Amino acid sequence: MKITSILKPLEGLSREEMIARLEPTLTELQSERSNMRVVKKDNEINNEISTLNKILGVIKFGVRGSLNKSELEELRPVLQRFVQDGTFPELKFWSLYPRG
């Protein structure tokens, strides 16, 4: 699942509001996955859980984790907005997106 497809409906929310919406969604998906009776878990759910974990890791903690370069670029506009409104540390932003 693409990061932008998850972030699009959350556009304009503050960092705290975004976290507050993403965390219950992640918990719900994890619960849904654990309740599946099939041994082989649904790849779509696993992919969405992985993407949500990546997004929350960056937004909450400024940790790149397993994000690849294109995924990190998808998050850049959101994080830039959080830096501008003072809810995301500028130093963490620049550690994720080094200049030059």
Side-chain angles (χ1 to χ4, degrees):
M1 169 162 255
K2 289 195 65 88
I3 288 175
T4 49
S5 65
I6 292 174
L7 294 178
K8 188 71 175 164
L10 306 175
E11 213 170 86
L13 294 179
S14 71
R15 180 174 174 234
E16 293 78 19
E17 291 169 328
M18 195 174 284
I19 291 168
R21 294 249 183 113
L22 290 172
E23 284 180 332
T25 303
L26 176 60
T27 303
E28 184 179 310
L29 284 170
Q30 289 169 330
S31 175
E32 185 178 326
R33 179 179 62 185
S34 68
N35 290 333
M36 293 178 76
R37 296 184 187 267
V38 183
V39 174
K40 185 178 178 187
K41 303 298 183 194
D42 184 12
N43 277 343
E44 187 176 323
I45 290 174
N46 288 335
N47 289 340
E48 194 165 350
I49 288 170
S50 174
T51 303
L52 285 169
N53 277 324
K54 290 175 183 181
I55 293 169
L56 283 167
V58 172
I59 292 173
K60 282 180 77 173
F61 308 111
V63 179
R64 181 181 181 151
S66 59
L67 284 169
N68 63 42
K69 191 174 182 175
S70 66
E71 291 171 326
L72 200 55
E73 284 304 313
E74 287 182 71
L75 279 166
R76 188 179 188 125
V78 173
L79 296 177
Q80 281 177 319
R81 187 169 51 82
F82 293 160
V83 167
Q84 289 171 347
D85 68 18
T87 60
F88 191 84
E90 191 170 355
L91 287 175
K92 281 189 181 181
F93 179 84
W94 289 118
S95 73
L96 294 168
Y97 305 98
R99 299 176 199 184

